[in-house]
């Protein structure tokens, strides 16, 4: 098809728009990163800038000195994210398999139990009270793990639909003739054929765990159990939180580069996502297309 | 063969056989129900128990007696809530911000989707889609640090620029008038990619022969967008928006809690039902529970209503 002049002009306009949008989206990230590399005195004189007058790695040196706290929070986040993501996918896939079978008695009622959670919920107060007064998860690692364990119960339904459409019925029949148990059929037929949906659901679950600061804020006050997002959350209101490591390492009180350190910790917390995003973005996109998982 | 003499016994043994068969079939379902058990138990704990816990709104909460053992105080919590002079303010904030977010996200999302599908270069198109979704993966805490990078009174980039031009620095975290704009911008910056990708999917699903036919009959590209692209987007737009309206009582807690950095002066323009519920939880559990109850019950009715409407527009985009 021959493209009209107008079409080419429109495309040029679209390029211009997208370049402006890309700058608007990326600039704050750059500002965050460059501020973390800026000398503290320059920061207070000239403010945050993407081209600092004077570079300094002090913030990262300070993070290294405070590694007992920062790396510990990092490790908590990593462990919770890995365990939580795996459990998330396993639990939803296990539930999705029986729901995908036409012959299961009561499957529509069971599906409804999951779907209903999208329509109605107990809200913040009731959930908090349930977890603290009945299950006593306050100040345990479970507080970071359990509230997001099925971060969207509807994922069971999405995986169910995927099983139905992408695993041919004949394979189940063949497995049955071979005398495979339901567990075997699940692990050896349904699971291997549905890897893409697990990756998609897993990535959304993993992202939710990595970025979660809310459950930490609600349930965890014990500093040894802080996740990295919670350290960031605390630093917003409590600048002293940063200075607590001064005096132990290379820094004395009052010399802590507190402004750039905040930015440096934020950058460090974001770094893994930045590195993984190029490889994972197609799964984010397919997840959105499934209508699955609105943050 | 004598049918009569054997009929009774066969039917009896047949029914016994059928019974055994049914039993063995039921037995064969046991592993399937076991597979469902973890998710079901979890949903009961995480979702259904708190639904029951909504009775807290009608109780005088006593930590010693627990949720279900606390004494009833009927509507006392609601009385307390209704007497709160800030109630109309945060109700207004919740609803107005949500409506603004829905409208701006829709307009900007559709615009970006049209722009991106206009781009022929495959690389640039892929890049654009990745870029607009990028802020979606950042935690709101980190976003609040970035916003601070621009708005901080002493070190913020905006004030540095203002000072460089000889102006007086603005105390952004103390000035209410800027915040509706700031919050709408941040919400759009973070969330527009999500909707935009849905619109792009809808645009790519349009039959290309429609455009070819229009081009042959002399329609300009702008006309094609106006008369082909936009009408095809309407079902997606309407359902996305209707579903969002269904959640109008739920604000994006992180946005309102983190981005204004707890500035008390800003609370008339940044307090929403969620941040109110969270803050009140520490001081008055009953009132907080009453507000939370209102949010859950109101949200339930709204979702039913707006999902019903969305279903009429496009079945596949509705929730159920």
């Amino acid at each position: 098809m021959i493209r009209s002049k107008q079409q080419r002009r429109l495309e040029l306009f679209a390029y211009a728009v997208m370049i402006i949008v890309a700058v608007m989206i990326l600039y704050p990230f750059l500002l965050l990163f460059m501020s973390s590399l800026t000398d503290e005195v320059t920061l207070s004189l000239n403010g945050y800038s993407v081209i600092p007058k004077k570079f300094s790695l002090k913030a990262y040196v300070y993070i290294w000195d405070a590694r007992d706290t920062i790396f510990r929070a990092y490790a908590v986040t990593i462990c919770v994210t890995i365990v939580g993501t795996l459990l998330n996918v396993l639990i939803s896939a296990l539930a999705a398999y029986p729901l995908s079978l036409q012959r299961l008695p009561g499957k529509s009622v069971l599906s409804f139990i999951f779907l209903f959670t999208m329509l109605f919920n107990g809200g913040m107060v009731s959930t908090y009270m349930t977890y603290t007064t009945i299950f006593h998860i306050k100040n345990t690692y479970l507080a970071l793990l359990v509230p997001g364990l099925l971060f969207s119960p509807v994922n069971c339904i999405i995986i169910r639909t995927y099983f139905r459409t992408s695993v041919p019925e004949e394979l189940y029949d063949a497995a049955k003739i071979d005398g495979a148990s339901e567990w075997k059929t699940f692990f050896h037929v349904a699971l291997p054929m549905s890897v893409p949906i697990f990756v998609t659901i897993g990535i959304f679950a993993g992202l939710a765990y990595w970025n979660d600061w809310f459950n930490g804020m609600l349930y965890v006050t014990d500093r040894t159990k802080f996740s990295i997002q919670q350290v960031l959350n605390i630093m917003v209101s409590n600048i002293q939180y940063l200075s607590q490591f001064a005096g132990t390492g290379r820094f004395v009180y009052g010399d802590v580069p507190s402004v750039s350190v905040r930015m440096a910790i934020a950058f460090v917390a974001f770094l893994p996502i930045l590195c993984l995003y190029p490889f994972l973005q197609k799964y984010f996109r397919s997840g959105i297309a499934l209508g699955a998982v609105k943050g | 063969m004598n049918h009569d003499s054997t009929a009774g016994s066969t039917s009896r043994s047949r029914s016994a056989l059928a019974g055994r068969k049914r039993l063995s079939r039921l037995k064969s379902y046991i592993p399937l129900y076991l597979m469902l058990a973890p998710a079901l138990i979890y949903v009961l704990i995480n979702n259904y128990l708190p639904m029951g816990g909504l009775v807290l709104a009608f109780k005088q909460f006593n930590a010693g007696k627990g949720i279900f053992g606390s004494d009833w105080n009927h509507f006392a919590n609601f009385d307390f809530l209704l007497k709160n002079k800030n109630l109309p303010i945060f109700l207004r904030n919740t609803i107005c911000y949500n409506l603004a977010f829905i409208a701006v996200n829709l307009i900007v999302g559709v615009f970006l989707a049209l722009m991106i599908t206009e781009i022929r270069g495959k690389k640039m198109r892929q890049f654009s889609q990745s870029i607009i979704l990028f802020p979606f993966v950042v935690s709101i805490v980190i976003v609040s640090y970035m916003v601070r990078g621009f708005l901080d009174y002493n070190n913020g980039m905006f004030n540095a620029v203002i000072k460089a031009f000889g102006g007086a620095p603005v105390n952004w975290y103390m000035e209410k008038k800027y915040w509706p704009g700031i919050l709408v911008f941040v919400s759009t910056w973070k969330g527009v990619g999500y909707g935009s990708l849905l619109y792009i999917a809808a645009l790519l699903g349009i039959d290309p022969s429609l455009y070819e036919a229009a081009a042959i009959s002399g329609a300009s590209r702008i006309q094609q967008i106006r008369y082909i692209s936009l009408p095809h987007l309407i079902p997606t737009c309407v359902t996305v928006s209707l579903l969002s309206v269904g959640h109008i009582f739920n604000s994006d807690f992180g946005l309102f809690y983190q981005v204004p950095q707890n500035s008390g002066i800003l609370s008339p323009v940044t307090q929403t039902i969620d941040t109110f519920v969270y803050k009140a939880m520490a001081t008055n559990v009953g009132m907080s529970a009453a507000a939370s109850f209102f949010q859950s019950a109101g949200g339930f009715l709204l979702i039913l209503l707006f999902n019903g409407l969305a279903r009429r527009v496009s079945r596949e985009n509705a929730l159920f």
Side-chain angles (χ1 to χ4, degrees), chain A residues 18, chain B residues 112-119 125 128-129 132 200:
Chain A
M18 285 322 300
Chain B
L112 289 180
L114 287 172
M115 288 295 106
I116 288 171
T117 47
E118 217 41 58
I119 291 171
R125 194 192 274 204
S128 304
Q129 293 189 44
I132 57 168
I200 290 173

Side-chain angles (χ1 to χ4, degrees), chain A residues 1 3-4 6-7 10-11 13-15 17-19 21-22 24-29 31-32 43-49 91-92 94-99 101 103-106 110 112-131 133-135 146-150 153 156 182-183 186 204 207 211 213-214 217-218 229 231-233 235-237 259 262-263 266 269-270 273-274 277 281 284-285 287-289 291-295, chain B residues 26 28-29 31-36 38-40 42-54 56 61 63 66-68 111-112 115-116 118-121 124 126-142 144-146 148-150 152 154-157 160 163 185 189 191 193-194 197-198 211-212 215 220-222 224-225 244 247 250 253-254 257-258 261-262 274-275 277-278 281 285 288-289 292 296-297 299-300 303-304 319-320:
Chain A
M1 202 172 74
R3 301 178 53 219
S4 67
Q6 191 192 27
Q7 205 161 357
L10 202 60
E11 190 181 356
F13 177 68
Y15 267 93
V17 167
M18 285 322 300
I19 288 167
V21 167
M24 280 171 80
I25 284 173
L26 295 178
Y27 191 85
F29 291 94
L31 187 68
L32 182 85
L43 270 180
S44 56
L45 283 178
N46 302 343
Y48 301 104
S49 158
I91 294 174
S92 2
L94 268 177
Y97 172 68
L99 292 178
L101 303 172
R103 61 191 154 88
L104 185 80
L110 291 163
F112 180 76
I113 291 177
F114 292 107
L115 279 171
F116 187 67
T117 62
M118 262 167 93
L119 312 179
F120 192 56
N121 62 69
M124 196 190 296
V125 182
S126 178
T127 307
Y128 175 81
M129 289 301 170
T130 310
Y131 272 127
T133 63
I134 301 178
F135 296 103
V146 174
L149 208 49
L150 265 184
C156 298
E182 295 291 359
W183 292 94
F186 171 71
F204 275 89
L207 182 75
N211 283 343
W213 51 279
F214 183 67
M217 183 176 82
L218 271 186
Q229 300 287 343
V231 168
L232 286 171
N233 181 33
M235 287 191 320
V236 172
S237 50
V259 180
R262 285 170 183 231
M263 294 306 197
F270 178 60
I273 294 183
L274 180 69
Y277 185 71
Q281 45 109 355
F284 281 119
R285 275 152 56 182
I288 289 170
V293 255
K294 179 123 191 181
Chain B
L26 275 179
S28 78
Y29 292 136
L32 294 175
Y33 289 121
L34 280 178
M35 288 177 179
L36 268 162
L40 277 178
Y42 179 74
V43 168
L44 287 180
I45 290 174
N46 185 65
N47 300 78
Y48 285 86
L49 207 52
M51 287 180 203
L54 281 172
L56 257 183
F61 179 68
I67 300 177
F68 299 103
F111 175 71
L112 289 180
M115 288 295 106
I116 288 171
E118 217 41 58
I119 291 171
R120 300 284 123 189
M124 182 65 183
Q126 288 292 330
F127 173 75
S128 304
Q129 293 189 44
S130 309
I131 282 289
I132 57 168
L133 193 64
F134 191 44
F136 176 79
V137 302
V138 193
S139 99
I140 193 75
V141 188
I142 295 178
S144 82
Y145 277 70
M146 295 179 185
R148 179 102 176 236
F150 288 94
D152 193 85
N154 295 314
N155 320 80
M157 205 195 86
K163 277 188 268 183
F185 181 86
W189 181 85
Y194 190 97
L197 287 182
L198 290 175
Y211 291 107
E212 281 160 32
S220 72
R221 188 63 194 165
I222 302 286
Q224 290 171 31
I225 288 174
S244 312
H247 289 103
N250 293 81
F253 180 82
Y257 184 78
Q258 293 289 352
Q261 307 228 314
N262 261 324
D274 295 85
T275 56
V277 166
Y278 173 72
M281 207 154 67
V285 176
S288 177
S292 195
S296 293
F300 179 56
I303 289 173
L304 283 187
L319 290 174
F320 52 91

